[in-house]
Amino acid sequence: MRTRSVVHRRPLLLAVGAGATAAALAAGMGTSAFAATVFSDNFSDGDHSGWSKSGGAWAVSGGVFSQSNASSELARQFAGQTSWTDYQVQARVRPDGFGSSGALVGLAARSSSSTKMYRLALLGSGRAELQAVNGSQITAIGSASVGASAGTWYTLRIEATGSTIRGFVNGTQIASGSNSLVGAGRIGLVTAYAKGSFDDVAVDTSGSTPTTPPTSSPTPTTTPTTPPPTSTPPPSTSWPTPTSSVKVDATTNVSGTFDGGMKRYYGIGDGGQSESQDPMFVLSAGATLRNVIIGAPAGDGVHCEGNCTLINVWWEDVGEDAATFRGGTTYTVDGGGARAASDKVFQHNGSGTVYIRNFRVQNAGKLYRACGNCSTSYQRHVVMDNIVATDTDVLAGINTNWGDTARFTRITADSGTRICVKYRGVPKGSEPTEIGEGADGVNCIYSPSDITWR
C-alpha cells in the first residue's frame, strides 16, 4: 500500500482502521471536517494507476478520466478498499453524450462487487437519481431534476453512514434514505449507454455534511487538535533570503518545471494595481514553478493557463495579484508565502479547484478571490490547509449563487480576519455584492476547531 503527498497525481491510498491516521486534506469533500481523506486522484499524471476496469473504453487525457464508448451497456472503474464502510466519495462528473434509453453517467460507493453498489447517476432525462444496485434490480432511494446535460461538469457526492445513504449534486442534497443492501465496498465511476468524464475523485471518512445549514459553525465528527503525523510542519516563520537577484524585462514562459534556486526575480510593471501589466511568469498546462522569490515590481505575478503547481514560491511585495488561475481545473499552491497585497493574493478566473496549503500570508486584503464578474461564470472551489495569516482581512471570497465552495483546516489567523466572505456573482461589467460571511456547511465549510485565533 502506497502513500503520497496530500495533493497527488496518482491515487492516494492510506491505511484506515485502528492505529492508522490519514492525511488531512480538504479535497473538495463538502464536509465539516477533513481529518481522514483516504483516497484522492485528479489524473494529472496522465494515467489511471490504482483503478480496475470492468467494461467500456477508458483513457486519461488532459487530466481527465473518460469513457468513450456510448454503446457499452455498463462500463465501470473501481478503486479503494472492499473494507471501507462509512465514508463519502466525491467526484466531478461530466456526461459527454447520452445514448439509448437508460443512459447514465455516475458515481458509486460501497461497491462490494461489479454489480452491487450504491450509485448516484445523472440520467439522460435530466434527473439525478440515488440508487441501490443489485445486479439488474435497481431500487431508487430518491431523485431530483437537476437539468443534467451533456458537456457540463457536475460535482457528485455520496455519503454512506450505517444504513443512511445520501446523494448530493453541486452541494445540494437530492436524495436521502435508509438502505441496507451493502455495508462496505470500493468506490466506482460508472457509465451505461453513455460517454462520460471524471476528475477530482476523493474519499473522506471524517463525517457527513449537515442536511440543512447550521445556525452556528458545524462541529466535525473527528476534531484533530494537532496536525496528524503525516502532515507537513507549519509554514515558515521567516521570509527566505534570496541566493541572488535576477532582473527580467519580459514575461518568462514555463512548460514543464522551472526551478529558480531561490533567486529573486523582479523588474516587470510598476508595482501598482493596474490590470494591464504583464505577468512575470506564464505557466502552460501541467507546468510547475518552484523555489522562486518574486520581488518588486512583479507586474501581474504568475498566470496559470492550465493546471499548474506552485511549490515554495514567495512574493515579497504583491503588485496587482500574486497569481491568477485561468484555464485549468486543478491548481496547487504548496508552501511559500505572500505579503503586501493591497487587494488579493490569488485570483481564480477559470473553473475547478485551487488547493492552498502550508502557506503564509501577511498584510493582504484577500488570500483568495473567486472571480465575481468574469466573462464566464464558472463554479469555483478553494481548499485551504495549514495557513498562517497575519494582518489579512479575508481568507476567501466566493460567489454562492454560482455554487462556489471554500473549505478550511488548520488555519491560524488574527482575531479580526474574516475567514469566508460570500458574494453574489454578476455578469462582466457589473460589481458583485457582499451577501454574508461565516461557516454554513454548504459553501463556507469549517468548524471552530479548524481555526486558531491569535
Side-chain angles (χ1 to χ4, degrees):
M1 188 174 298
R2 57 186 176 179
T3 60
R4 294 180 181 267
S5 59
V6 180
V7 173
H8 2 272
R9 296 178 182 271
R10 296 177 185 271
L12 169 73
L13 195 55
L14 297 176
V16 290
T21 305
L25 166 67
M29 294 304 300
T31 64
S32 57
F34 300 91
T37 296
V38 294
F39 181 96
S40 181
D41 198 353
N42 61 19
F43 308 107
S44 62
D45 61 349
D47 70 40
H48 49 85
S49 175
W51 294 86
S52 59
K53 171 187 169 182
S54 176
W58 296 84
V60 175
S61 178
V64 173
F65 198 15
S66 298
Q67 198 290 116
S68 58
N69 184 0
S71 63
S72 179
E73 179 180 5
L74 195 57
R76 294 144 296 188
Q77 287 279 353
F78 297 104
Q81 300 287 337
T82 57
S83 60
W84 284 349
T85 54
D86 291 356
Y87 64 88
Q88 57 182 317
V89 55
Q90 176 168 294
R92 295 174 62 242
V93 177
R94 183 184 68 198
D96 293 329
F98 293 107
S100 61
S101 175
L104 63 87
V105 178
L107 182 66
R110 286 187 182 171
S111 300
S112 62
S113 72
S114 62
T115 58
K116 193 173 183 179
M117 67 193 75
Y118 294 112
R119 184 171 69 191
L120 179 57
L122 298 173
L123 307 178
S125 64
R127 297 185 68 81
E129 186 169 272
L130 182 62
Q131 305 167 336
V133 179
N134 188 8
S136 60
Q137 182 178 350
I138 299 175
T139 302
I141 298 173
S143 68
S145 177
V146 297
S149 60
T152 300
W153 284 101
Y154 301 88
T155 300
L156 305 189
R157 184 170 80 251
I158 302 173
E159 296 180 354
T161 306
S163 62
T164 300
I165 313 298
R166 298 186 180 94
F168 296 78
V169 177
N170 292 340
T172 299
Q173 181 175 295
I174 62 96
S176 177
S178 180
N179 190 283
S180 56
L181 172 66
V182 60
R186 299 185 293 169
I187 62 170
L189 312 175
V190 184
T191 69
Y193 300 114
K195 300 177 182 179
S197 295
F198 304 84
D199 199 3
D200 297 334
V201 184
V203 179
D204 188 281
T205 61
S206 62
S208 61
T209 303
T211 56
T212 57
T215 56
S216 59
S217 299
T219 300
T221 302
T222 303
T223 306
T225 56
T226 59
T230 55
S231 67
T232 54
S236 172
T237 57
S238 61
W239 294 80
T241 300
T243 56
S244 63
S245 292
V246 179
K247 186 179 185 302
V248 297
D249 299 314
T251 298
T252 299
N253 295 302
V254 178
S255 60
T257 298
F258 181 97
D259 192 324
M262 296 310 291
K263 297 176 183 177
R264 174 193 287 126
Y265 293 81
Y266 73 99
I268 291 182
D270 58 11
Q273 291 294 305
S274 171
E275 295 187 2
S276 62
Q277 298 180 80
D278 292 331
M280 178 75 73
F281 295 95
V282 171
L283 275 59
S284 61
T288 297
L289 183 69
R290 65 190 307 150
N291 300 326
V292 168
I293 299 173
I294 299 179
D300 200 24
V302 177
H303 284 186
C304 284
E305 298 303 317
N307 293 353
C308 69
T309 303
L310 309 179
I311 300 176
N312 197 33
V313 177
W314 297 82
W315 289 264
E316 293 182 324
D317 188 344
V318 176
E320 207 263 301
D321 294 324
T324 303
F325 305 108
R326 296 156 58 94
T329 58
T330 304
Y331 321 86
T332 300
V333 179
D334 189 352
R339 61 187 178 191
S342 59
D343 186 7
K344 56 195 175 301
V345 175
F346 298 125
Q347 172 75 20
H348 189 181
N349 291 350
S351 62
T353 303
V354 176
Y355 298 93
I356 309 169
R357 67 183 194 224
N358 313 319
F359 194 82
R360 174 173 293 276
V361 58
Q362 180 178 333
N363 187 21
K366 297 180 182 69
L367 175 55
Y368 166 93
R369 179 66 170 103
C371 185
N373 58 359
C374 283
S375 56
T376 302
S377 304
Y378 296 109
Q379 183 182 100
R380 303 175 175 97
H381 311 282
V382 62
V383 176
M384 297 188 191
D385 176 63
N386 201 20
I387 306 296
V388 174
T390 305
D391 295 327
T392 298
D393 297 333
V394 175
L395 289 190
I398 61 173
N399 311 295
T400 56
N401 59 313
W402 292 339
D404 294 355
T405 63
R407 299 167 174 84
F408 307 84
T409 53
R410 296 192 294 164
I411 305 297
T412 301
D414 298 334
S415 59
T417 301
R418 304 165 74 190
I419 302 300
C420 186
V421 176
K422 307 168 194 178
Y423 293 86
R424 181 176 300 280
V426 294
K428 187 173 182 178
S430 302
E431 285 300 318
T433 55
E434 182 178 328
I435 57 176
E437 66 175 286
D440 57 18
V442 177
N443 300 103
C444 295
I445 304 163
Y446 59 95
S447 69
S449 63
D450 291 319
I451 314 298
T452 299
W453 299 107
R454 295 182 301 193

